[in-house]
């Protein structure tokens, strides 16, 4: 009973974060908190476009969520007994795991096992005697990239991607005029950077989805700045772990390219040792065919490098446009309200993820009437969800 009573008070306080953000402060509230700034766009009581609230104070940079944790109100919701989503949440909301088995565990196994064999048996064959990793640039670079991959994979897989707290029911601030025949809130419209986009109400979380958010059917959470749900990580990629995901695919691309280079060097060395400097291509093929294990490792690396290289190029392109995978694949925007130029876009995504918009103040404007700048081809029409 005490938990139920506490939860009943917690969720209204979470909704009040947006109101405090719009006022620029409040007791115990820091306007620099990234998650709360997003909620300022999700207040239940719609305002007219010409009477919107302006948040002039830019959010200050915030340490990573896995170090400092989420805001107090979010932390309360993410405690055991209050959290209603499908992820496993721990450490005050710092970490969240979606599907540990088989997704995360399988990926870890398929990564660590070949990686161990590579560092133990394959890479030493091309290093200066006695195969010391610290004795050459190749050994040092591979070691560094291996550590970066392990750290970025761990953070991308287990850091809270940006879970939005739920409300117990439809907000009381909702006017009956804006409910449909089933008493469900109608979608409304946000004006961001002069462009109007549709904002839908999540019937599972009982909130207006913050900008760029989506309800993930796998993890059963609304996630801030939702990019995609990664099956290999077993977690959503969102506001708090997108940078680690990008670091993972970039470092994995470089690592795998070096792995392929090392494998070809081994075949070249063996060919030269067996047939001398006059060896031709057929001699090289003969040597290759004699080590099925190394050939299998080479094919494994080629398959992976194609996948992560394509991902790296793709995420480089959408980062320059300030788009998420979800927005790009579903073609949300006829005009992207979050696009402020390539430099500003990348600065926001990788250096200032706490910002909702890359430049200027946050103009929080919402209305239930369609504005002339809205296009049916525009954003949020395709928001799926519950």
């Amino acid at each position: 009973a005490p938990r139920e009573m506490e939860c009943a008070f917690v969720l209204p306080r979470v909704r009040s974060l947006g109101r405090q953000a719009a006022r620029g402060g409040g007791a115990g509230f820091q306007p620099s908190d990234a998650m709360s700034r997003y909620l300022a766009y999700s207040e239940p009581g719609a305002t007219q476009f010409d009477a919107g609230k302006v948040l002039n104070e830019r959010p200050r940079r915030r340490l990573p969520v896995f170090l400092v944790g989420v805001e107090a109100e979010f932390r309360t919701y993410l405690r055991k007994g209050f959290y209603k989503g499908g992820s496993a949440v721990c450490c005050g909301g710092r970490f969240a795991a979606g599907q540990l088995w088989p997704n995360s565990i399988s990926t870890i196994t398929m990564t660590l096992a070949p990686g161990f064999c590579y560092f133990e048996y394959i890479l030493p064959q091309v290093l200066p005697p006695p195969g010391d990793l610290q004795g050459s640039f190749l050994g040092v670079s591979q070691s560094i990239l291996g550590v970066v991959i392990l750290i970025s994979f761990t953070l991308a897989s287990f850091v809270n991607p940006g879970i939005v707290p739920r409300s117990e029911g439809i907000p009381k601030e909702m006017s009956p005029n804006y409910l449909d025949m089933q008493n469900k809130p109608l979608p409304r419209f946000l004006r961001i950077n002069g462009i109007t986009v549709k904002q839908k109400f999540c019937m599972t979380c009982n909130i207006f989805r913050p900008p760029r958010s989506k309800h993930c059917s796998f993890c059963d959470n609304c996630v801030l700045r939702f990019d995609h749900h990664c099956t290999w990580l077993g977690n959503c990629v969102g506001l708090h772990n997108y940078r680690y995901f990008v670091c993972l695919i970039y470092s994995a691309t470089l690592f795998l390219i070096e792995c392929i280079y090392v494998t070809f060097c081994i075949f070249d060395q063996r060919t030269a040792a067996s047939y001398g400097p006059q060896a031709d291509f057929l001699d090289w093929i003969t040597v290759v065919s004699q080590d099925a294990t190394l050939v299998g490792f080479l094919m494994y690396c080629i398959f992976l490098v194609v996948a992560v290289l394509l991902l790296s190029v793709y995420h480089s392109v959408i980062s320059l446009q300030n788009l998420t995978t979800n927005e790009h694949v579903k073609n949300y925007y006829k005009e992207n309200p979050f696009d402020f130029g390539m430099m500003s876009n990348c600065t926001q995504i990788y250096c200032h993820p706490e910002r909702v918009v890359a430049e200027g103040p946050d103009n929080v404007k919402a209305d239930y009437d369609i504005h002339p700048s809205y296009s049916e081809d525009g954003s949020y029409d395709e928001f799926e969800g519950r």
Side-chain angles (χ1 to χ4, degrees):
R3 282 189 175 181
E4 294 176 358
M5 292 178 62
E6 186 176 353
C7 189
F9 287 106
V10 166
L11 296 177
R13 287 204 305 271
V14 171
R15 289 204 303 268
S16 72
L17 281 171
R19 289 190 292 273
Q20 294 177 10
R23 290 196 298 267
F29 174 75
Q30 297 297 325
S32 63
D33 288 334
M35 298 176 76
S36 302
R37 180 57 63 93
Y38 272 85
L39 290 191
Y41 288 81
S42 298
E43 273 300 286
T47 58
Q48 297 295 321
F49 281 140
D50 57 358
K53 301 174 183 177
V54 179
L55 282 65
N56 289 309
E57 182 179 357
R58 299 293 291 166
R60 291 167 295 178
R61 292 190 66 175
R62 194 170 187 273
L63 291 174
V65 69
F66 71 89
L67 292 177
V68 299
V70 297
E71 295 92 315
E73 288 82 355
F74 288 79
R75 191 181 310 120
T76 303
Y77 167 73
L78 293 171
R79 286 192 327 194
K80 184 177 180 180
F82 299 145
Y83 173 64
K84 305 298 182 183
S87 300
V89 180
C90 64
C91 300
R94 288 176 172 83
F95 302 101
Q99 296 81 44
L100 283 173
W101 176 259
N103 303 53
S104 301
I105 302 300
S106 299
T107 303
I108 292 172
T109 303
M110 291 188 295
T111 302
L112 290 183
F116 174 80
C117 293
Y118 174 73
F119 278 101
E120 187 70 19
Y121 304 110
I122 299 176
L123 181 58
Q125 297 183 45
V126 298
L127 298 179
D132 183 12
L133 291 176
Q134 311 304 320
S136 68
F137 172 79
L138 186 60
V140 172
S141 62
Q142 286 289 78
S143 299
I144 293 175
L145 286 172
V147 172
V148 171
I149 289 172
L150 289 176
I151 294 175
S152 57
F153 175 82
T154 301
L155 294 176
S157 298
F158 300 114
V159 165
N160 177 353
I163 297 173
V164 182
R166 298 184 182 186
S167 177
E168 287 188 314
I170 295 175
K172 296 180 180 179
E173 299 94 329
M174 290 293 303
S175 169
N177 297 329
Y178 302 123
L179 302 178
D180 62 15
M181 298 295 292
Q182 298 178 331
N183 286 325
K184 296 180 180 179
L186 296 169
R188 66 181 187 181
F189 300 89
L190 290 177
R191 190 88 177 275
I192 301 175
N193 193 25
I195 300 172
T196 305
V197 294
K198 183 180 287 187
Q199 182 183 37
K200 288 190 174 182
F201 190 87
C202 179
M203 292 305 301
T204 299
C205 299
N206 288 311
I207 57 170
F208 278 106
R209 295 191 185 107
R212 321 191 78 174
S213 304
K214 183 181 183 296
H215 191 99
C216 174
S217 58
F218 294 97
C219 298
D220 196 20
N221 297 307
C222 273
V223 177
L224 294 174
R225 201 184 183 280
F226 178 88
D227 189 83
H228 68 286
H229 180 89
C230 182
T231 303
W232 297 103
L233 299 178
N235 198 9
C236 292
V237 177
L239 178 70
H240 292 316
N241 63 348
Y242 179 74
R243 291 178 295 178
Y244 311 132
F245 171 78
V246 173
C247 181
L248 172 64
I249 57 177
Y250 284 173
S251 57
T253 299
L254 296 176
F255 181 84
L256 288 166
I257 289 174
E258 288 192 345
C259 287
I260 294 172
Y261 169 76
V262 166
T263 306
F264 276 101
C265 285
I266 293 174
F267 286 135
D268 289 343
Q269 290 176 358
R270 292 179 180 178
T271 302
S274 299
Y275 297 96
Q278 304 302 320
D280 56 20
F281 180 72
L282 291 178
D283 297 328
W284 189 85
I285 292 296
T286 302
V287 171
V288 170
S289 64
Q290 293 172 354
D291 194 337
T293 302
L294 196 56
V295 171
F297 177 78
L298 177 62
M299 294 297 102
Y300 174 80
C301 291
I302 291 175
F303 171 78
L304 288 183
V305 77
V306 170
V308 294
L309 178 60
L310 290 176
L311 276 176
S312 298
V313 173
Y314 176 77
H315 281 276
S316 297
V317 172
I318 65 173
S319 292
L320 293 173
Q321 300 173 345
N322 205 339
L323 288 170
T324 66
T325 300
N326 188 51
E327 292 166 344
H328 181 261
V329 169
K330 295 185 178 179
N331 195 26
Y332 275 173
Y333 306 120
K334 185 175 182 180
E335 292 182 82
N336 182 4
F338 302 101
D339 186 1
F340 285 83
M342 293 187 292
M343 183 64 69
S344 294
N345 292 341
C346 291
T347 300
Q348 178 201 3
I349 294 171
Y350 299 110
C351 301
H352 294 281
E354 71 278 358
R355 297 177 182 175
V356 180
V357 290
E359 297 179 359
D362 292 277
N363 293 294
V364 184
K365 298 183 178 182
D367 204 336
Y368 284 92
D369 297 324
I370 299 179
H371 190 270
S373 65
Y374 175 72
S375 169
E376 285 295 336
D377 296 329
S379 162
Y380 295 80
D381 270 341
E382 303 300 325
F383 256 156
E384 299 169 353
R386 306 165 354 169

